[in-house]
Amino acid sequence: MTEAEIKLKRTESILLELIPEALGSLNDKRLHQLDVIDIKCSRGRSDAKVYIDPASFTQEEKSEFLKLLKKARPILETFCMKDQGWFRSPKFTFEFDEQLKKAQNIEELFKKIAKD
């Protein structure tokens, strides 16, 4: 692992701790129920994708949460930047992580195939 990859992983790890803390500090109680699963930063650490647990939210609720997160993005970025003493924070984009659901569907298909 190169030094740049280590710095990238360190940044992702720090953000994985800071973003839930920042969400908890917001006044909007709806955002407190979101769980951050993973964060992937770009190579230059200028952008970061924040993956959120879809839990059992409906599609309408998910779109509402994404709108709320888009509005709260500058506050979250400032929180992380000030906490770490960074000159600038990565620009966050938020997505619901659907990979777990896809994996479960694939596992169910394999079980059906195994029965046949």
Side-chain angles (χ1 to χ4, degrees):
M1 196 177 255
T2 66
E3 188 176 329
E5 290 173 332
I6 293 170
K7 286 183 179 180
L8 186 68
K9 292 291 183 191
R10 186 178 299 138
T11 302
E12 290 172 353
S13 175
I14 289 169
L15 290 174
L16 194 57
E17 292 178 20
L18 285 178
I19 292 175
E21 186 180 330
L23 286 171
S25 70
L26 296 174
N27 291 334
D28 195 338
K29 301 281 186 212
R30 295 175 289 182
L31 294 175
H32 295 191
Q33 60 185 328
L34 296 176
D35 293 323
V36 177
I37 296 176
D38 196 17
I39 295 175
K40 294 291 179 202
C41 290
S42 64
R43 285 179 91 183
R45 293 179 291 178
S46 59
D47 297 310
K49 279 192 177 183
V50 180
Y51 294 98
I52 300 167
D53 183 13
S56 57
F57 300 126
T58 64
Q59 201 60 35
E60 292 174 6
E61 290 173 324
K62 288 179 186 178
S63 65
E64 182 65 29
F65 279 125
L66 290 175
K67 287 178 188 175
L68 292 171
L69 288 167
K70 190 174 182 179
K71 288 180 183 178
R73 183 181 56 83
I75 298 167
L76 298 173
E77 290 172 358
T78 303
F79 180 91
C80 294
M81 186 173 61
K82 286 183 178 177
D83 185 81
Q84 289 299 303
W86 290 338
F87 178 69
R88 65 184 173 100
S89 171
K91 183 179 178 187
F92 300 142
T93 53
F94 297 94
E95 293 181 13
F96 282 94
D97 188 13
E98 303 295 341
Q99 294 299 323
L100 181 63
K101 203 178 281 185
K102 288 179 184 177
Q104 289 172 343
N105 289 342
I106 290 172
E107 286 179 26
E108 289 175 17
L109 288 173
F110 282 137
K111 288 179 185 176
K112 287 181 184 177
I113 291 171
K115 288 180 183 177
D116 294 339

